[in-house]
Structures are given as C-alpha cells and as structure tokens.
Amino acid sequence: MQRPGVLIVLEEKFTGLAELLTKVATDDGTVIITSVNEAWARLGSLLDLFLASFKNGEGIAHLLNHTLIIAMDTITLARCEAVHPHCYLHEVTSANVSSANRFMTKSYLELIWARLEVPQHILQLGYNYLSTDVDVMWLRNPFRYINLYTDMAMSTDGFNGNVDDLKNVGNGGFYYIRSTNRTVEMLKRWRAARSQFPSAHDQGVLNEIKADLAAGELQIKFVFLETTLFDGFCQFHGEMDKVCTMHAICCIGLENKVHDLRNLAADWKNYTSVASMEKRTGKHRWTPPNRCKASMRQH
C-alpha cells in the first residue's frame, strides 16, 4: 500500500505525521480526525463541546485516544495541545482561516478544501480514517454501525431510506474511508475536481462526481448512513435512544451552532442521568435547534 518514493516527498510536507499516526491509530489502523481553526478552538467554542461529548457519551471516552486534531494555525495548535494529547499543525496560508468564516465565503472554501490534504496523506500511509467536523457531538460508538469494509461511508443531509442509493446527498462533515489503492486515487480525483466546480465546497463536488467514481474503473462502493443514527439539524429526528452522533448542519453562524449544541449537550446529560426504565419510555427528546433553524430561514 505504501509507496516509498512518493512518501519520501510527502514526509517533507507532512513532517511528523507518520510517527504520530502510529500512536493514535486503532489496532486495525483507523484514525479519527477533525480540523479546527482559532475560532472553533477558542475556550467555550466548538472544540470544547466536541471533546466533552466523548467524555459524556456512552462508553466512548477511549476513542479520544484515537482522535487526531488538525490545527490550521499556530495559535490553534497551542490551544489544542492544552486540551488534547494528539494535535498536528497543518497551516493554511491561502486565506484568513482563523476567523469563524461565514458559510461559502472565499476563506470558508479555502479552509474546507485544505482539510483534505492531511487525510489524503493518511490514506497514502495505509491508514483508514473517520473524518468528523468539530460541530458533531459524539454520543455512542459509531463504528458499530459503519460497514468498515466499504470504500466510503457518508452521513447525509437527508436520508432516503436506501443505504446504497447514490441519490442520497452525502455530507462531508462525517464520513469514513478505508485505505486502498482505489480510495487513494478517489481522494486525488475528488480534490482535482475542484477546478471543475470552483465555487463549490468539497461536499458539493463529491456529490457531483460520486456516480462517476462508482461506475468508472475505480468502482468505488459508497454507503450512506441513516439519519436516525447519524442525526443532524437538516433532517432532525431527535430519537435519543438510537442516535450515535448529532451534527449542527443546516446552521449559519458559529454562535448559533454553539448555542444549540450546548442545549443538546444539556439534554444528553439529563437523559443519561435517569434510570434505564425511564429512558425506554421515549419521553426524553432533544431541544429543537431553533437558533440554527432561524439562521437558515434568514440566509
């Protein structure tokens, strides 16, 4: 799987990453990754909520040992190292990526696309990875519900009931890729396709080309994750007894995300504090993400 000649060149760009992955990866060679900038990592923002969700989730605190946080600037790296043992600096200098970066602005697009550089190298080093946005709350172990033998398993903005249907709109904020020669090539083509859709983000481009990747010579196998298990604000279910992750998608504005995720974190603490019999009644529901819904109506 590893290509020595190529990897020597890449190691000069990604100094220290290979060594770090040996410490973070699970026994089957899988790494959880997320990327943060200064706005997302500052005290009380998304990074704190993200890390707390693991600690308050059902038996998933150990997964933080296998989570690599990629910092986009040196200030963020220092903040990361103060709260998490596995941090990696991948500076983005093509635009101002330290601020909140409003959805689909130039800086936002540069940040989103830059996030694919480290994952591509992770695949080339022979590791599988699960990429999660930092505005995803982890509540239960998602690996129990992901087909780890598929090429790519993606969350969706709206699940249509068929896990194999390419008409599902994949969401790049939570997905798993198994490391093979074909998926390494797939990620290269995904990044290269940006030039065909210059105003689109990574998720939009992948949705444009995924049918070609599945039908072409690569024969990439995509699986889409049910939103009852991998929930989000777009197709909000609110079934607390089933959900593994909750993603603050369909939300404009960092403050709105933080506000609504804090409410959900409080809901989860209340839910996990009650007896098992009471949980089965189905009375416990999430607080609707009203700030985020309002932000989308105004957008």
Side-chain angles (χ1 to χ4, degrees):
M1 176 60 202
Q2 298 188 15
R3 302 162 183 79
V6 175
L7 293 181
I8 289 172
V9 175
L10 288 171
E11 277 305 303
E12 295 178 359
K13 182 176 181 180
F14 299 99
T15 304
L17 180 60
E19 181 182 358
L20 186 55
L21 291 173
T22 64
K23 302 174 183 177
V24 181
T26 62
D27 290 342
D28 71 346
T30 300
V31 181
I32 300 165
I33 59 173
T34 193
S35 300
V36 292
N37 67 358
E38 183 183 347
W40 301 341
R42 66 175 57 122
L43 184 65
S45 192
L46 293 175
L47 180 59
D48 286 345
L49 289 167
F50 176 78
L51 295 174
S53 72
F54 283 81
K55 296 169 185 175
N56 296 322
E58 291 188 352
I60 58 172
H62 69 284
L63 293 178
L64 284 175
N65 298 328
H66 306 294
T67 300
L68 178 64
I69 298 175
I70 302 166
M72 296 297 194
D73 53 68
T74 54
I75 295 176
T76 303
L77 178 66
R79 166 66 178 150
C80 178
E81 291 177 337
V83 295
H84 187 68
H86 308 303
C87 305
Y88 182 75
L89 176 63
H90 180 59
E91 284 193 274
V92 178
T93 58
S94 53
N96 175 21
V97 296
S98 295
S99 64
N101 292 314
R102 194 165 180 84
F103 184 64
M104 296 306 290
T105 60
K106 179 181 178 182
S107 292
Y108 171 87
L109 290 174
E110 289 298 330
L111 177 62
I112 292 301
W113 279 105
R115 295 189 311 176
L116 283 178
E117 295 177 2
V118 174
Q120 181 175 333
H121 190 44
I122 289 174
L123 284 185
Q124 289 172 311
L125 287 168
Y127 293 92
N128 320 308
Y129 72 85
L130 195 164
S131 176
T132 171
D133 278 0
V134 75
D135 62 349
V136 176
M137 285 177 55
W138 284 54
L139 307 169
R140 296 182 172 94
N141 190 341
F143 290 107
R144 296 175 181 172
Y145 304 97
I146 295 175
N147 180 352
L148 302 180
Y149 297 97
T150 196
D151 292 315
M152 185 171 190
M154 292 189 75
S155 61
T156 69
D157 290 343
F159 182 61
N160 68 11
N162 182 350
V163 298
D164 300 311
D165 190 352
L166 291 174
K167 294 187 180 68
N168 284 298
V169 180
N171 186 287
F174 189 92
Y175 67 92
Y176 166 85
I177 295 185
R178 183 167 62 102
S179 178
T180 66
N181 289 330
R182 292 183 301 109
T183 57
V184 168
E185 181 61 27
M186 178 194 74
L187 204 63
K188 288 180 181 178
R189 295 187 187 188
W190 181 6
R191 293 183 61 204
R194 180 186 183 183
S195 62
Q196 301 174 43
F197 309 94
S199 61
H201 52 30
D202 58 341
Q203 172 183 315
V205 169
L206 183 60
N207 280 303
E208 291 285 349
I209 67 173
K210 66 179 185 286
D212 291 336
L213 293 171
E217 75 273 16
L218 292 181
Q219 294 288 302
I220 296 297
K221 172 64 176 176
F222 291 95
V223 169
F224 297 90
L225 303 173
E226 299 182 29
T227 47
T228 51
L229 296 171
F230 300 90
D231 211 345
F233 295 172
C234 289
Q235 193 177 38
F236 187 68
H237 293 283
E239 298 182 36
M240 299 183 77
D241 60 329
K242 297 180 180 179
V243 63
C244 290
T245 60
M246 178 65 75
H247 192 178
I249 45 176
C250 290
C251 186
I252 304 297
L254 177 60
E255 291 183 359
N256 295 324
K257 285 179 181 280
V258 170
H259 176 274
D260 285 351
L261 285 175
R262 281 178 180 162
N263 283 342
L264 267 63
D267 293 341
W268 180 254
K269 279 193 173 182
N270 289 336
Y271 172 77
T272 56
S273 68
V274 302
S276 298
M277 289 298 293
E278 187 178 342
K279 289 178 182 177
R280 296 194 190 106
T281 64
K283 293 180 180 178
H284 291 269
R285 309 290 291 181
W286 296 114
T287 300
N290 292 326
R291 282 271 291 268
C292 281
K293 292 297 184 183
S295 74
M296 292 299 291
R297 289 194 295 269
Q298 296 166 6
H299 183 62

